[in-house]
PDB file of all heavy atoms in Angstrom:
ATOM      1  N   LEU W   1       5.513  -2.344  60.872  1.00  0.00           N
ATOM      2  CA  LEU W   1       6.791  -2.236  61.579  1.00  0.00           C
ATOM      3  C   LEU W   1       6.885  -3.199  62.755  1.00  0.00           C
ATOM      4  O   LEU W   1       7.989  -3.548  63.175  1.00  0.00           O
ATOM      5  CB  LEU W   1       7.117  -0.797  61.976  1.00  0.00           C
ATOM      6  CG  LEU W   1       6.324  -0.068  63.045  1.00  0.00           C
ATOM      7  CD1 LEU W   1       6.658  -0.517  64.444  1.00  0.00           C
ATOM      8  CD2 LEU W   1       6.589   1.412  62.919  1.00  0.00           C
ATOM      9  N   LEU W   2       5.747  -3.658  63.270  1.00  0.00           N
ATOM     10  CA  LEU W   2       5.818  -4.711  64.281  1.00  0.00           C
ATOM     11  C   LEU W   2       6.402  -5.980  63.673  1.00  0.00           C
ATOM     12  O   LEU W   2       7.188  -6.691  64.306  1.00  0.00           O
ATOM     13  CB  LEU W   2       4.441  -5.000  64.883  1.00  0.00           C
ATOM     14  CG  LEU W   2       3.847  -3.939  65.797  1.00  0.00           C
ATOM     15  CD1 LEU W   2       2.466  -4.372  66.268  1.00  0.00           C
ATOM     16  CD2 LEU W   2       4.761  -3.628  66.981  1.00  0.00           C
ATOM     17  N   ALA W   3       6.010  -6.265  62.431  1.00  0.00           N
ATOM     18  CA  ALA W   3       6.506  -7.451  61.742  1.00  0.00           C
ATOM     19  C   ALA W   3       7.935  -7.255  61.229  1.00  0.00           C
ATOM     20  O   ALA W   3       8.720  -8.198  61.197  1.00  0.00           O
ATOM     21  CB  ALA W   3       5.576  -7.801  60.572  1.00  0.00           C
ATOM     22  N   ASN W   4       8.251  -6.033  60.828  1.00  0.00           N
ATOM     23  CA  ASN W   4       9.563  -5.708  60.245  1.00  0.00           C
ATOM     24  C   ASN W   4      10.043  -4.386  60.838  1.00  0.00           C
ATOM     25  O   ASN W   4       9.795  -3.324  60.263  1.00  0.00           O
ATOM     26  CB  ASN W   4       9.446  -5.577  58.719  1.00  0.00           C
ATOM     27  CG  ASN W   4       8.920  -6.835  58.073  1.00  0.00           C
ATOM     28  OD1 ASN W   4       9.529  -7.881  58.167  1.00  0.00           O
ATOM     29  ND2 ASN W   4       7.758  -6.735  57.424  1.00  0.00           N
ATOM     30  N   PRO W   5      10.726  -4.408  61.999  1.00  0.00           N
ATOM     31  CA  PRO W   5      11.080  -3.165  62.696  1.00  0.00           C
ATOM     32  C   PRO W   5      12.197  -2.337  62.063  1.00  0.00           C
ATOM     33  O   PRO W   5      12.431  -1.215  62.485  1.00  0.00           O
ATOM     34  CB  PRO W   5      11.476  -3.636  64.093  1.00  0.00           C
ATOM     35  CG  PRO W   5      11.802  -5.074  63.969  1.00  0.00           C
ATOM     36  CD  PRO W   5      11.019  -5.593  62.805  1.00  0.00           C
ATOM     37  N   ARG W   6      12.869  -2.871  61.037  1.00  0.00           N
ATOM     38  CA  ARG W   6      13.867  -2.059  60.329  1.00  0.00           C
ATOM     39  C   ARG W   6      13.123  -1.228  59.299  1.00  0.00           C
ATOM     40  O   ARG W   6      12.431  -1.778  58.435  1.00  0.00           O
ATOM     41  CB  ARG W   6      14.901  -2.968  59.670  1.00  0.00           C
ATOM     42  CG  ARG W   6      16.094  -2.235  59.080  1.00  0.00           C
ATOM     43  CD  ARG W   6      16.894  -1.531  60.206  1.00  0.00           C
ATOM     44  NE  ARG W   6      18.226  -1.210  59.802  1.00  0.00           N
ATOM     45  CZ  ARG W   6      19.302  -1.850  60.195  1.00  0.00           C
ATOM     46  NH1 ARG W   6      19.224  -2.869  61.011  1.00  0.00           N
ATOM     47  NH2 ARG W   6      20.479  -1.474  59.774  1.00  0.00           N
ATOM     48  N   VAL W   7      13.216   0.099  59.404  1.00  0.00           N
ATOM     49  CA  VAL W   7      12.445   1.012  58.575  1.00  0.00           C
ATOM     50  C   VAL W   7      13.377   2.038  57.938  1.00  0.00           C
ATOM     51  O   VAL W   7      14.557   2.121  58.283  1.00  0.00           O
ATOM     52  CB  VAL W   7      11.355   1.728  59.414  1.00  0.00           C
ATOM     53  CG1 VAL W   7      10.350   0.728  59.981  1.00  0.00           C
ATOM     54  CG2 VAL W   7      11.972   2.567  60.539  1.00  0.00           C
ATOM     55  N   ILE W   8      12.833   2.815  57.031  1.00  0.00           N
ATOM     56  CA  ILE W   8      13.554   3.948  56.445  1.00  0.00           C
ATOM     57  C   ILE W   8      12.833   5.213  56.876  1.00  0.00           C
ATOM     58  O   ILE W   8      11.599   5.297  56.802  1.00  0.00           O
ATOM     59  CB  ILE W   8      13.612   3.854  54.912  1.00  0.00           C
ATOM     60  CG1 ILE W   8      14.376   2.588  54.505  1.00  0.00           C
ATOM     61  CG2 ILE W   8      14.281   5.098  54.311  1.00  0.00           C
ATOM     62  CD1 ILE W   8      14.307   2.270  53.027  1.00  0.00           C
ATOM     63  N   VAL W   9      13.604   6.186  57.335  1.00  0.00           N
ATOM     64  CA  VAL W   9      13.063   7.460  57.798  1.00  0.00           C
ATOM     65  C   VAL W   9      13.638   8.570  56.933  1.00  0.00           C
ATOM     66  O   VAL W   9      14.842   8.581  56.647  1.00  0.00           O
ATOM     67  CB  VAL W   9      13.425   7.705  59.289  1.00  0.00           C
ATOM     68  CG1 VAL W   9      12.935   9.072  59.748  1.00  0.00           C
ATOM     69  CG2 VAL W   9      12.858   6.598  60.168  1.00  0.00           C
ATOM     70  N   GLU W  10      12.781   9.498  56.524  1.00  0.00           N
ATOM     71  CA  GLU W  10      13.215  10.694  55.805  1.00  0.00           C
ATOM     72  C   GLU W  10      12.739  11.903  56.605  1.00  0.00           C
ATOM     73  O   GLU W  10      11.547  12.045  56.870  1.00  0.00           O
ATOM     74  CB  GLU W  10      12.617  10.724  54.397  1.00  0.00           C
ATOM     75  CG  GLU W  10      13.096   9.567  53.526  1.00  0.00           C
ATOM     76  CD  GLU W  10      12.370   9.487  52.209  1.00  0.00           C
ATOM     77  OE1 GLU W  10      12.479  10.445  51.405  1.00  0.00           O
ATOM     78  OE2 GLU W  10      11.680   8.472  51.985  1.00  0.00           O
ATOM     79  N   VAL W  11      13.698  12.716  57.022  1.00  0.00           N
ATOM     80  CA  VAL W  11      13.401  13.949  57.756  1.00  0.00           C
ATOM     81  C   VAL W  11      14.132  15.065  57.030  1.00  0.00           C
ATOM     82  O   VAL W  11      15.366  15.027  56.921  1.00  0.00           O
ATOM     83  CB  VAL W  11      13.875  13.880  59.229  1.00  0.00           C
ATOM     84  CG1 VAL W  11      13.581  15.185  59.951  1.00  0.00           C
ATOM     85  CG2 VAL W  11      13.233  12.718  59.955  1.00  0.00           C
ATOM     86  N   GLY W  12      13.376  16.050  56.538  1.00  0.00           N
ATOM     87  CA  GLY W  12      14.011  17.070  55.717  1.00  0.00           C
ATOM     88  C   GLY W  12      14.725  16.374  54.566  1.00  0.00           C
ATOM     89  O   GLY W  12      14.202  15.430  53.982  1.00  0.00           O
ATOM     90  N   PRO W  13      15.960  16.775  54.266  1.00  0.00           N
ATOM     91  CA  PRO W  13      16.693  16.121  53.180  1.00  0.00           C
ATOM     92  C   PRO W  13      17.425  14.847  53.623  1.00  0.00           C
ATOM     93  O   PRO W  13      18.025  14.163  52.803  1.00  0.00           O
ATOM     94  CB  PRO W  13      17.697  17.201  52.744  1.00  0.00           C
ATOM     95  CG  PRO W  13      17.942  17.982  53.994  1.00  0.00           C
ATOM     96  CD  PRO W  13      16.634  17.974  54.747  1.00  0.00           C
ATOM     97  N   ASP W  14      17.379  14.518  54.897  1.00  0.00           N
ATOM     98  CA  ASP W  14      18.092  13.368  55.461  1.00  0.00           C
ATOM     99  C   ASP W  14      17.270  12.091  55.317  1.00  0.00           C
ATOM    100  O   ASP W  14      16.077  12.068  55.621  1.00  0.00           O
ATOM    101  CB  ASP W  14      18.383  13.645  56.947  1.00  0.00           C
ATOM    102  CG  ASP W  14      19.429  12.738  57.537  1.00  0.00           C
ATOM    103  OD1 ASP W  14      20.183  12.095  56.771  1.00  0.00           O
ATOM    104  OD2 ASP W  14      19.495  12.667  58.780  1.00  0.00           O
ATOM    105  N   ARG W  15      17.918  11.017  54.857  1.00  0.00           N
ATOM    106  CA  ARG W  15      17.261   9.710  54.690  1.00  0.00           C
ATOM    107  C   ARG W  15      18.164   8.665  55.327  1.00  0.00           C
ATOM    108  O   ARG W  15      19.363   8.613  55.028  1.00  0.00           O
ATOM    109  CB  ARG W  15      17.070   9.415  53.207  1.00  0.00           C
ATOM    110  CG  ARG W  15      16.326   8.133  52.890  1.00  0.00           C
ATOM    111  CD  ARG W  15      16.177   7.976  51.366  1.00  0.00           C
ATOM    112  NE  ARG W  15      15.169   7.022  51.019  1.00  0.00           N
ATOM    113  CZ  ARG W  15      15.379   5.712  50.881  1.00  0.00           C
ATOM    114  NH1 ARG W  15      16.583   5.216  51.056  1.00  0.00           N
ATOM    115  NH2 ARG W  15      14.386   4.910  50.552  1.00  0.00           N
ATOM    116  N   PHE W  16      17.602   7.816  56.207  1.00  0.00           N
ATOM    117  CA  PHE W  16      18.422   6.826  56.902  1.00  0.00           C
ATOM    118  C   PHE W  16      17.587   5.629  57.333  1.00  0.00           C
ATOM    119  O   PHE W  16      16.370   5.720  57.462  1.00  0.00           O
ATOM    120  CB  PHE W  16      19.104   7.447  58.128  1.00  0.00           C
ATOM    121  CG  PHE W  16      18.157   8.081  59.115  1.00  0.00           C
ATOM    122  CD1 PHE W  16      17.643   7.354  60.185  1.00  0.00           C
ATOM    123  CD2 PHE W  16      17.779   9.414  58.983  1.00  0.00           C
ATOM    124  CE1 PHE W  16      16.769   7.929  61.093  1.00  0.00           C
ATOM    125  CE2 PHE W  16      16.909  10.000  59.893  1.00  0.00           C
ATOM    126  CZ  PHE W  16      16.405   9.266  60.947  1.00  0.00           C
ATOM    127  N   GLU W  17      18.282   4.507  57.563  1.00  0.00           N
ATOM    128  CA  GLU W  17      17.630   3.329  58.117  1.00  0.00           C
ATOM    129  C   GLU W  17      17.529   3.511  59.623  1.00  0.00           C
ATOM    130  O   GLU W  17      18.413   4.117  60.253  1.00  0.00           O
ATOM    131  CB  GLU W  17      18.424   2.062  57.797  1.00  0.00           C
ATOM    132  CG  GLU W  17      18.286   1.642  56.362  1.00  0.00           C
ATOM    133  CD  GLU W  17      18.858   0.257  56.111  1.00  0.00           C
ATOM    134  OE1 GLU W  17      19.289  -0.430  57.060  1.00  0.00           O
ATOM    135  OE2 GLU W  17      18.857  -0.143  54.938  1.00  0.00           O
ATOM    136  N   ALA W  18      16.466   2.977  60.178  1.00  0.00           N
ATOM    137  CA  ALA W  18      16.246   3.097  61.621  1.00  0.00           C
ATOM    138  C   ALA W  18      15.636   1.806  62.144  1.00  0.00           C
ATOM    139  O   ALA W  18      15.055   1.021  61.388  1.00  0.00           O
ATOM    140  CB  ALA W  18      15.318   4.275  61.929  1.00  0.00           C
ATOM    141  N   ASN W  19      15.789   1.619  63.427  1.00  0.00           N
ATOM    142  CA  ASN W  19      15.128   0.529  64.133  1.00  0.00           C
ATOM    143  C   ASN W  19      13.957   1.115  64.893  1.00  0.00           C
ATOM    144  O   ASN W  19      14.117   2.090  65.630  1.00  0.00           O
ATOM    145  CB  ASN W  19      16.106  -0.161  65.082  1.00  0.00           C
ATOM    146  CG  ASN W  19      17.222  -0.837  64.324  1.00  0.00           C
ATOM    147  OD1 ASN W  19      16.976  -1.585  63.384  1.00  0.00           O
ATOM    148  ND2 ASN W  19      18.455  -0.562  64.704  1.00  0.00           N
ATOM    149  N   ALA W  20      12.801   0.521  64.699  1.00  0.00           N
ATOM    150  CA  ALA W  20      11.580   0.995  65.356  1.00  0.00           C
ATOM    151  C   ALA W  20      11.311   0.138  66.586  1.00  0.00           C
ATOM    152  O   ALA W  20      11.415  -1.089  66.532  1.00  0.00           O
ATOM    153  CB  ALA W  20      10.402   0.904  64.394  1.00  0.00           C
ATOM    154  N   SER W  21      10.964   0.791  67.685  1.00  0.00           N
ATOM    155  CA  SER W  21      10.567   0.069  68.898  1.00  0.00           C
ATOM    156  C   SER W  21       9.386   0.789  69.522  1.00  0.00           C
ATOM    157  O   SER W  21       9.226   2.002  69.377  1.00  0.00           O
ATOM    158  CB  SER W  21      11.729  -0.035  69.888  1.00  0.00           C
ATOM    159  OG  SER W  21      12.149   1.254  70.290  1.00  0.00           O
ATOM    160  N   VAL W  22       8.556   0.034  70.198  1.00  0.00           N
ATOM    161  CA  VAL W  22       7.346   0.591  70.805  1.00  0.00           C
ATOM    162  C   VAL W  22       7.653   0.948  72.260  1.00  0.00           C
ATOM    163  O   VAL W  22       8.114   0.108  73.027  1.00  0.00           O
ATOM    164  CB  VAL W  22       6.180  -0.414  70.724  1.00  0.00           C
ATOM    165  CG1 VAL W  22       4.928   0.161  71.356  1.00  0.00           C
ATOM    166  CG2 VAL W  22       5.922  -0.800  69.266  1.00  0.00           C
ATOM    167  N   ALA W  23       7.401   2.207  72.605  1.00  0.00           N
ATOM    168  CA  ALA W  23       7.614   2.665  73.984  1.00  0.00           C
ATOM    169  C   ALA W  23       6.545   2.057  74.886  1.00  0.00           C
ATOM    170  O   ALA W  23       5.398   1.861  74.468  1.00  0.00           O
ATOM    171  CB  ALA W  23       7.571   4.185  74.043  1.00  0.00           C
ATOM    172  N   LYS W  24       6.914   1.789  76.103  1.00  0.00           N
ATOM    173  CA  LYS W  24       6.002   1.155  77.066  1.00  0.00           C
ATOM    174  C   LYS W  24       5.909   1.980  78.351  1.00  0.00           C
ATOM    175  O   LYS W  24       6.802   2.752  78.681  1.00  0.00           O
ATOM    176  CB  LYS W  24       6.502  -0.252  77.435  1.00  0.00           C
ATOM    177  CG  LYS W  24       6.640  -1.202  76.262  1.00  0.00           C
ATOM    178  CD  LYS W  24       5.304  -1.612  75.718  1.00  0.00           C
ATOM    179  CE  LYS W  24       5.464  -2.633  74.600  1.00  0.00           C
ATOM    180  NZ  LYS W  24       4.263  -2.843  73.857  1.00  0.00           N
ATOM    181  N   GLY W  25       4.816   1.782  79.078  1.00  0.00           N
ATOM    182  CA  GLY W  25       4.650   2.324  80.425  1.00  0.00           C
ATOM    183  C   GLY W  25       4.832   3.826  80.535  1.00  0.00           C
ATOM    184  O   GLY W  25       4.298   4.596  79.735  1.00  0.00           O
ATOM    185  N   ALA W  26       5.602   4.232  81.539  1.00  0.00           N
ATOM    186  CA  ALA W  26       5.808   5.653  81.827  1.00  0.00           C
ATOM    187  C   ALA W  26       6.511   6.364  80.670  1.00  0.00           C
ATOM    188  O   ALA W  26       6.227   7.540  80.395  1.00  0.00           O
ATOM    189  CB  ALA W  26       6.600   5.819  83.123  1.00  0.00           C
ATOM    190  N   GLU W  27       7.416   5.667  79.990  1.00  0.00           N
ATOM    191  CA  GLU W  27       8.112   6.273  78.857  1.00  0.00           C
ATOM    192  C   GLU W  27       7.131   6.558  77.719  1.00  0.00           C
ATOM    193  O   GLU W  27       7.165   7.615  77.104  1.00  0.00           O
ATOM    194  CB  GLU W  27       9.247   5.363  78.379  1.00  0.00           C
ATOM    195  CG  GLU W  27       9.977   5.877  77.159  1.00  0.00           C
ATOM    196  CD  GLU W  27      10.835   7.117  77.394  1.00  0.00           C
ATOM    197  OE1 GLU W  27      10.755   7.736  78.475  1.00  0.00           O
ATOM    198  OE2 GLU W  27      11.582   7.481  76.479  1.00  0.00           O
ATOM    199  N   ARG W  28       6.216   5.642  77.447  1.00  0.00           N
ATOM    200  CA  ARG W  28       5.193   5.864  76.439  1.00  0.00           C
ATOM    201  C   ARG W  28       4.361   7.091  76.787  1.00  0.00           C
ATOM    202  O   ARG W  28       4.101   7.949  75.969  1.00  0.00           O
ATOM    203  CB  ARG W  28       4.284   4.630  76.310  1.00  0.00           C
ATOM    204  CG  ARG W  28       3.199   4.805  75.265  1.00  0.00           C
ATOM    205  CD  ARG W  28       1.893   4.140  75.707  1.00  0.00           C
ATOM    206  NE  ARG W  28       0.813   4.693  74.937  1.00  0.00           N
ATOM    207  CZ  ARG W  28       0.076   5.745  75.323  1.00  0.00           C
ATOM    208  NH1 ARG W  28       0.274   6.340  76.474  1.00  0.00           N
ATOM    209  NH2 ARG W  28      -0.886   6.206  74.562  1.00  0.00           N
ATOM    210  N   ARG W  29       3.935   7.169  78.047  1.00  0.00           N
ATOM    211  CA  ARG W  29       3.107   8.288  78.486  1.00  0.00           C
ATOM    212  C   ARG W  29       3.859   9.615  78.343  1.00  0.00           C
ATOM    213  O   ARG W  29       3.315  10.605  77.860  1.00  0.00           O
ATOM    214  CB  ARG W  29       2.690   8.070  79.947  1.00  0.00           C
ATOM    215  CG  ARG W  29       1.771   9.132  80.512  1.00  0.00           C
ATOM    216  CD  ARG W  29       0.337   8.948  80.046  1.00  0.00           C
ATOM    217  NE  ARG W  29       0.012   9.857  78.962  1.00  0.00           N
ATOM    218  CZ  ARG W  29      -1.041   9.733  78.159  1.00  0.00           C
ATOM    219  NH1 ARG W  29      -1.877   8.750  78.298  1.00  0.00           N
ATOM    220  NH2 ARG W  29      -1.272  10.594  77.201  1.00  0.00           N
ATOM    221  N   ARG W  30       5.115   9.628  78.750  1.00  0.00           N
ATOM    222  CA  ARG W  30       5.921  10.859  78.673  1.00  0.00           C
ATOM    223  C   ARG W  30       6.056  11.331  77.226  1.00  0.00           C
ATOM    224  O   ARG W  30       5.850  12.513  76.923  1.00  0.00           O
ATOM    225  CB  ARG W  30       7.306  10.613  79.276  1.00  0.00           C
ATOM    226  CG  ARG W  30       8.191  11.858  79.285  1.00  0.00           C
ATOM    227  CD  ARG W  30       9.578  11.549  79.822  1.00  0.00           C
ATOM    228  NE  ARG W  30      10.409  10.838  78.866  1.00  0.00           N
ATOM    229  CZ  ARG W  30      11.018  11.402  77.814  1.00  0.00           C
ATOM    230  NH1 ARG W  30      10.887  12.694  77.580  1.00  0.00           N
ATOM    231  NH2 ARG W  30      11.760  10.671  76.998  1.00  0.00           N
ATOM    232  N   LEU W  31       6.360  10.402  76.329  1.00  0.00           N
ATOM    233  CA  LEU W  31       6.525  10.775  74.925  1.00  0.00           C
ATOM    234  C   LEU W  31       5.203  11.205  74.301  1.00  0.00           C
ATOM    235  O   LEU W  31       5.146  12.185  73.550  1.00  0.00           O
ATOM    236  CB  LEU W  31       7.153   9.618  74.143  1.00  0.00           C
ATOM    237  CG  LEU W  31       8.583   9.253  74.537  1.00  0.00           C
ATOM    238  CD1 LEU W  31       9.042   8.007  73.792  1.00  0.00           C
ATOM    239  CD2 LEU W  31       9.541  10.409  74.318  1.00  0.00           C
ATOM    240  N   TYR W  32       4.136  10.487  74.607  1.00  0.00           N
ATOM    241  CA  TYR W  32       2.825  10.865  74.072  1.00  0.00           C
ATOM    242  C   TYR W  32       2.474  12.285  74.523  1.00  0.00           C
ATOM    243  O   TYR W  32       2.058  13.129  73.718  1.00  0.00           O
ATOM    244  CB  TYR W  32       1.735   9.886  74.520  1.00  0.00           C
ATOM    245  CG  TYR W  32       0.454  10.072  73.730  1.00  0.00           C
ATOM    246  CD1 TYR W  32       0.176   9.255  72.649  1.00  0.00           C
ATOM    247  CD2 TYR W  32      -0.447  11.091  74.038  1.00  0.00           C
ATOM    248  CE1 TYR W  32      -0.985   9.439  71.894  1.00  0.00           C
ATOM    249  CE2 TYR W  32      -1.601  11.281  73.294  1.00  0.00           C
ATOM    250  CZ  TYR W  32      -1.862  10.464  72.224  1.00  0.00           C
ATOM    251  OH  TYR W  32      -2.992  10.659  71.474  1.00  0.00           O
TER     252      TYR W  32
END
């Protein structure tokens, strides 16, 4: 996904295209 950040996500019965981005700094820590 670093090379190709456009991904497909399936959650439950829902399927959609998504953009992947890497969280940084304080936001990364909060989410982790």
Side-chain angles (χ1 to χ4, degrees):
L1 69 75
L2 289 178
N4 302 299
R6 188 64 161 254
V7 297
I8 298 171
V9 177
E10 296 172 63
V11 179
D14 196 17
R15 184 179 197 272
F16 56 92
E17 286 191 5
N19 295 310
S21 61
V22 180
K24 301 289 184 193
E27 177 70 350
R28 180 217 161 268
R29 183 78 259 164
R30 182 183 76 77
L31 295 174
Y32 193 98

